[in-house]
Amino acid sequence: MIRHSLISTAIITALSSFSAHAALVTGQVFDNNKQPLSYADVHVHGKAQSIKTDENGRFSINIDANSQLHISKNNFVDARVQVTETSSALNITLVPTSVESVVVYASALHKNSLEMISPVSVLSGDELRNKAKPTLGETLKGLPGVNASYFGPVSSSPIIRGLDGPRVKITQNGLDSSDASRIGPDHATSNDSLAAEQIEVLRGPATLLYGSGAIGGVVNVVDNRIPTDNIEQLTGAVEYSHDTVSNANTYAAKLETGHNNFNFHFDGTKRTGDDYQTPRFNLPEEEHEDHEGHDEEEHETATSVKNTFIDSQTVNFGTSYVGEHLTLGVSYGRIETDYGIPAHSHEHEHGHDHEHDHDEGEEEAVYARVEQDRWQGLMSYALHNNWIETINLRLGYTDYRHAEIEDGAIGTIFSNETTEARLNIEHKLGNWHGMAGYHFSDSDYDADGEEAFTPASKTTTHALFILEEKQFGNVTLELGARIEDYNIDSNVGAAAHDHDHDHDHDHEDDHTDEHANEITPYSKSFTNLSASAGAIWQYTPGQSIALSVSHSERAPLSAELLSNGVHIATGTYELGLGYAIEDGEIHFEPENIKQETSTNIDFGFRRFSGDFGYTVNFFYNDIANFYYQQNTGLVFDEEHGLEAAEPGHDDGMAVYQFVSKDAKLYGIEFDAHYQLNSNAMVKVFGDSTTAKLADDEGYLPRIPANKLGSELQYNISDWQFSLTGTHYFEQRDITAYETATDSYTLFDAQANYQLSVGPVDTQFYINVDNITDELGFVHSSFIKDEAPLPGRNFRIGLRGYF
């Protein structure tokens, strides 16, 4: 109550002290050759008001006292100018750059991609549309420091610097996507990259604003479903594309309009595709004993990955009112997706039928049916001539349901009902500019069915955070802190193997019945503390050095803490941190659970002016109590329960348990570009990540291979061409239960042609992925041997804008 009273008092004080002192500010915008820049955007910070410079680079705009102007134009570095009522005849020079500068919405302080202290990549515009795939992982995996978990192309989540799952926060307009993709790699993310305006990847801990789940980074999908600028006329876009590798067809449409400060948005997508084709590969080998007692290996090949179809529809509606100071908006989104889950067969995985017979009907094809309803609300009020600049409230409610269908019947249902609220108060105290706020999240997770390896749980967080920055000449200092109360509640039942065992065996006595039905209430609270300090030094125009140090704490998710059962998708029996194994028996003993604590150092060099530019980042992440799955040396069999694994016998599933040990992750990521001439640019990019346990105890599992790539872009007349080659190195830094992964090289090409058809700007494009039909296996995939990357693919499409 005290916290809410303080916030209310601050808002009332700010509103009561508000007074608008309008003044007209004039100026002119130039490039570095003192030539005027026409049609540059001039925006008043914290307000919807925005104008463009005229043909002579001149502008005039009304402001309130002590405002800030944000001036931007493509191919130039943004400028921010402090102005007062007495400011006039401003002369503003923009520094040219061959790198597009865009505002990063996830930064909270309206910074563009070149001003960020933490490393960030942004996909937007035509680059995003050309690279957009059905999943976030496949869309983003070409970025330095970013890879994909890859459970087939229809279920692929981002991996940032070797970290994925619960350590990478996936958000939509700053609010959690609230799906089940953090629970298992076969659960696809619910974010649609096809409808996004831009996708932002923040590398390194971003826990201050987004919570302990962002200990590895944030992927923020930005769309315009709640318009925040006034739309004066009807605009829209349509797109159709066809992929040959899976016979997939994609349709997308967007419409936006507005009148008298009221704005409306609609977008929708539909995608259908069959199983995807691959270069010929060997299916996983099975050993059989012939009649003379010798082992013989059966080799069977395939040219496609079964059960990788997709049938997806999404639709989003939104409306808003954008006034001089007040913005109000609401949106609704609906997702309905069916997609196949490869390598997911009970007959094969349980060991009842080890013959490789992939004819339809011999194995139980399992597919997922995802349904999601998502509501979002926005309230923003901008004030001036006050220490509070903007009050921003975002609300979200998501009802997510993931059902796994086996032989036409629902086998397991995962559901997640989430409510989230984020209140940000942007302020200026003396020379400090910052953001303070309150973040609430309530997630009600449930799982019902034979694959419900994680019990139902309710996770609630309350957090207070603050982020402040101050300029000291050419140096910008940024400080931040967050305190988060994290609570998890669950009812932990008997071991899943007891339940499955009862289907085929009678109980021996009443004591066994009582044990099987035993329910243990469990509740645990954690206090997560995070803090960061960073600085960026613009030592010369267009060149900078950035350094940041952060400390982040994370409590375990329910899957990491309470898992106890068969996870068919990964072919394992999973146990959480809260369990102990004694004499072949599983006991729930959730004691001494320690938080995962990360100390991260980022050091980067950047150049973005002129024809040559680069970004080079070094990182070192020291994580205490790192949660990961360790092979126990046991196997689980439905008939015998837990028993020691024996060489040569593959009946049963390997038992993996979450443990916590100290770990270190470090590496480098870079991208560089050179503008050869007005038509051509060449880029080079790459990354390297090493992830190992402390005290030389070995490497962490499924760490992505290093990559090195180059891209050539060439524009001539109405044509745009690009050719990209990416080499993925072999990965031999593995755990005892992994196998090494060979290297491979992928070549991709794109060609776009711009034409006008009446009032519609049209773009025809053809993309050729994996030109050489290279066979590649993704080391970070749980099913790498059964699901190689797609083969050669021709994607042909048409876009229209009006």
Side-chain angles (χ1 to χ4, degrees):
M1 291 301 295
I2 295 176
R3 177 171 62 239
H4 294 296
S5 298
L6 290 174
I7 294 174
S8 301
T9 302
I11 295 173
I12 293 171
T13 302
L15 292 175
S16 62
S17 63
F18 172 76
S19 59
H21 301 284
L24 185 68
V25 171
T26 61
Q28 192 171 12
V29 181
F30 301 92
D31 63 16
N32 58 336
N33 294 321
K34 299 301 180 182
Q35 297 298 311
L37 288 176
S38 58
Y39 306 111
D41 289 310
V42 181
H43 178 252
V44 179
H45 171 64
K47 296 175 66 176
Q49 186 177 4
S50 179
I51 56 129
K52 291 184 180 295
T53 58
D54 62 18
E55 294 180 354
N56 296 314
R58 299 184 184 278
F59 68 91
S60 61
I61 191 168
N62 286 311
I63 66 161
D64 295 325
N66 301 322
S67 297
Q68 183 188 79
L69 296 184
H70 181 196
I71 300 94
S72 60
K73 185 175 174 61
N74 287 343
N75 302 319
F76 289 87
V77 181
D78 291 12
R80 297 178 185 272
V81 180
Q82 299 294 333
V83 292
T84 66
E85 294 174 291
T86 60
S87 299
S88 62
L90 299 172
N91 289 325
I92 301 164
T93 300
L94 299 185
V95 177
T97 176
S98 53
V99 179
E100 184 179 7
S101 173
V102 294
V103 173
V104 180
Y105 292 92
S107 70
L109 296 178
H110 317 287
K111 293 186 176 182
N112 64 50
S113 53
L114 305 180
E115 298 170 327
M116 293 284 291
I117 294 177
S118 301
V120 62
S121 294
V122 180
L123 282 181
S124 61
D126 287 340
E127 183 182 16
L128 171 59
R129 287 185 280 270
N130 289 334
K131 294 182 178 180
K133 299 291 194 301
T135 61
L136 282 180
E138 294 306 287
T139 299
L140 302 174
K141 69 178 184 181
L143 297 175
V146 183
N147 289 275
S149 60
Y150 200 75
F151 214 89
V154 294
S155 180
S156 180
S157 296
I159 298 174
I160 301 179
R161 295 176 170 179
L163 300 176
D164 65 344
R167 299 179 183 88
V168 174
K169 193 82 164 181
I170 298 179
T171 63
Q172 184 259 328
N173 294 332
L175 296 180
D176 198 311
S177 59
S178 302
D179 52 36
S181 62
R182 310 297 89 190
I183 301 298
D186 59 322
H187 295 181
T189 61
S190 60
N191 300 86
D192 185 7
S193 58
L194 295 173
E197 298 286 330
Q198 68 184 46
I199 302 177
E200 305 163 350
V201 180
L202 278 66
R203 303 181 189 87
T207 57
L208 296 181
L209 296 176
Y210 296 98
S212 56
I215 200 169
V218 167
V219 175
N220 185 39
V221 179
V222 180
D223 57 40
N224 199 40
R225 65 178 64 179
I226 299 181
T228 53
D229 290 317
N230 281 317
I231 304 170
E232 303 298 336
Q233 59 184 0
L234 177 66
T235 62
V238 292
E239 179 175 359
Y240 166 77
S241 67
H242 176 78
D243 291 77
T244 61
V245 76
S246 59
N247 193 34
N249 294 296
T250 302
Y251 308 84
K254 180 177 74 172
L255 290 173
E256 293 183 335
T257 189
H259 182 68
N260 287 344
N261 299 107
F262 287 93
N263 310 280
F264 305 92
H265 170 94
F266 161 82
D267 71 73
T269 61
K270 179 174 177 59
R271 178 180 173 85
T272 59
D274 302 327
D275 296 344
Y276 74 93
Q277 305 299 306
T278 69
R280 187 170 296 278
F281 70 101
N282 291 326
L283 292 167
E285 297 173 350
E286 299 277 347
E287 290 190 357
H288 301 274
E289 194 172 278
D290 62 18
H291 64 280
E292 295 181 355
H294 300 97
D295 287 341
E296 61 179 25
E297 295 181 349
E298 289 190 358
H299 295 274
E300 187 174 348
T301 62
T303 57
S304 67
V305 177
K306 300 296 184 183
N307 202 31
T308 53
F309 74 91
I310 187 171
D311 186 354
S312 176
Q313 302 86 35
T314 68
V315 62
N316 297 298
F317 298 91
T319 184
S320 67
Y321 169 82
V322 180
E324 182 71 10
H325 296 276
L326 177 66
T327 298
L328 294 172
V330 65
S331 70
Y332 167 76
R334 171 74 177 176
I335 298 174
E336 295 180 359
T337 301
D338 289 356
Y339 67 90
I341 304 176
H344 193 303
S345 166
H346 288 278
E347 291 183 0
H348 173 66
E349 294 290 347
H350 280 285
H352 299 308
D353 185 352
H354 289 288
E355 295 184 10
H356 281 304
D357 188 350
H358 289 267
D359 292 336
E360 196 165 332
E362 293 297 321
E363 293 186 344
E364 296 180 10
V366 179
Y367 68 93
R369 173 163 293 165
V370 173
E371 298 176 349
Q372 177 178 284
D373 293 289
R374 184 174 178 86
W375 292 88
Q376 284 190 328
L378 169 67
M379 188 284 289
S380 180
Y381 194 89
L383 303 94
H384 294 283
N385 202 23
N386 291 278
W387 65 278
I388 292 181
E389 294 182 317
T390 306
I391 302 167
N392 186 285
L393 174 65
R394 281 193 177 271
L395 303 170
Y397 170 78
T398 303
D399 188 0
Y400 173 91
R401 184 175 183 267
H402 173 113
E404 297 194 350
I405 315 297
E406 307 172 21
D407 278 350
I410 296 177
T412 307
I413 297 177
F414 302 89
S415 62
N416 192 19
E417 189 173 347
T418 303
T419 303
E420 187 175 10
R422 181 186 297 277
L423 175 67
N424 296 336
I425 300 177
E426 189 173 354
H427 57 265
K428 181 170 288 188
L429 299 173
N431 293 323
W432 288 89
H433 173 226
M435 178 84 67
Y438 167 70
H439 185 199
F440 166 80
S441 177
D442 181 86
S443 176
D444 193 349
Y445 167 80
D446 194 11
D448 184 24
E450 61 182 70
E451 292 186 34
F453 59 96
T454 301
S457 62
K458 185 173 183 178
T459 305
T460 305
T461 63
H462 298 270
L464 294 173
F465 59 87
I466 187 168
L467 184 65
E468 302 289 333
E469 68 172 5
K470 182 179 180 181
Q471 285 190 321
F472 299 88
N474 294 327
V475 177
T476 300
L477 176 67
E478 186 177 282
L479 304 173
R482 177 186 178 103
I483 182 170
E484 176 182 274
D485 177 67
Y486 179 99
N487 185 79
I488 183 170
D489 290 288
S490 181
N491 288 317
V492 181
H497 65 271
D498 288 338
H499 174 73
D500 290 337
H501 185 72
D502 293 342
H503 284 298
D504 301 316
H505 302 271
D506 295 331
H507 295 298
E508 294 182 1
D509 51 39
D510 294 338
H511 175 72
T512 306
D513 279 328
E514 182 180 351
H515 174 71
N517 296 322
E518 183 180 349
I519 297 295
T520 302
Y522 177 75
S523 180
K524 179 68 174 177
S525 293
F526 299 85
T527 299
N528 298 318
L529 299 174
S530 299
S532 71
I536 185 169
W537 176 30
Q538 302 279 354
Y539 60 91
T540 191
Q543 299 185 54
S544 62
I545 297 175
L547 173 66
S548 63
V549 180
S550 59
H551 170 89
S552 306
E553 295 180 348
R554 184 177 79 87
L557 291 185
S558 61
E560 297 170 308
L561 182 62
L562 304 175
S563 291
N564 182 12
V566 172
H567 192 177
I568 298 297
T570 60
T572 61
Y573 190 103
E574 294 190 6
L575 273 179
L577 290 161
Y579 290 90
I581 302 175
E582 297 177 2
D583 300 325
E585 296 290 333
I586 298 173
H587 303 279
F588 185 56
E589 299 177 2
E591 291 144 7
N592 300 321
I593 304 297
K594 297 180 180 179
Q595 290 142 295
E596 189 176 85
T597 304
S598 168
T599 301
N600 187 83
I601 300 174
D602 255 295
F603 188 49
F605 300 88
R606 305 171 192 172
R607 175 190 171 101
F608 44 83
S609 62
D611 294 332
F612 175 62
Y614 56 80
T615 299
V616 182
N617 300 314
F618 299 90
F619 67 91
Y620 179 84
N621 199 352
D622 190 339
I623 305 179
N625 305 314
F626 183 84
Y627 309 143
Y628 75 103
Q629 289 177 304
Q630 186 180 65
N631 195 329
T632 63
L634 301 173
V635 296
F636 167 74
D637 181 82
E638 287 187 350
E639 183 176 354
H640 302 101
L642 297 182
E643 56 186 9
E646 297 182 13
H649 293 271
D650 57 0
D651 288 344
M653 293 184 174
V655 178
Y656 284 79
Q657 181 169 22
F658 281 96
V659 297
S660 61
K661 293 185 178 181
D662 296 347
K664 301 180 186 299
L665 295 90
Y666 53 88
I668 182 176
E669 58 204 15
F670 67 90
D671 65 86
H673 65 273
Y674 181 68
Q675 190 78 39
L676 300 173
N677 53 49
S678 59
N679 296 325
M681 175 186 286
V682 64
K683 295 183 177 181
V684 179
F685 58 90
D687 58 52
S688 173
T689 299
T690 300
K692 58 174 64 176
L693 294 171
D695 302 324
D696 296 324
E697 290 191 35
Y699 293 96
L700 292 175
R702 290 179 299 279
I703 297 302
N706 301 333
K707 67 174 180 280
L708 177 65
S710 181
E711 179 179 357
L712 174 64
Q713 299 177 354
Y714 187 78
N715 302 329
I716 181 171
S717 186
D718 293 324
W719 285 95
Q720 297 175 321
F721 301 94
S722 71
L723 175 65
T724 306
T726 308
H727 179 74
Y728 292 84
F729 293 85
E730 65 179 1
Q731 178 57 289
R732 299 194 177 279
D733 296 340
I734 57 177
T735 61
Y737 53 88
E738 286 185 288
T739 58
T741 302
D742 292 334
S743 62
Y744 57 94
T745 304
L746 301 179
F747 291 96
D748 305 320
Q750 298 177 353
N752 294 4
Y753 179 70
Q754 299 284 151
L755 66 154
S756 295
V757 181
V760 180
D761 292 330
T762 305
Q763 185 180 83
F764 170 78
Y765 62 91
I766 178 170
N767 299 350
V768 188
D769 300 325
N770 195 2
I771 297 173
T772 61
D773 204 31
E774 176 88 349
L775 179 62
F777 295 90
V778 181
H779 184 77
S780 53
S781 173
F782 277 88
I783 56 171
K784 71 169 186 175
D785 294 327
E786 299 170 84
L789 290 168
R792 183 185 300 112
N793 177 43
F794 292 87
R795 183 185 182 194
I796 303 172
L798 192 68
R799 303 187 186 104
Y801 306 90
F802 58 90

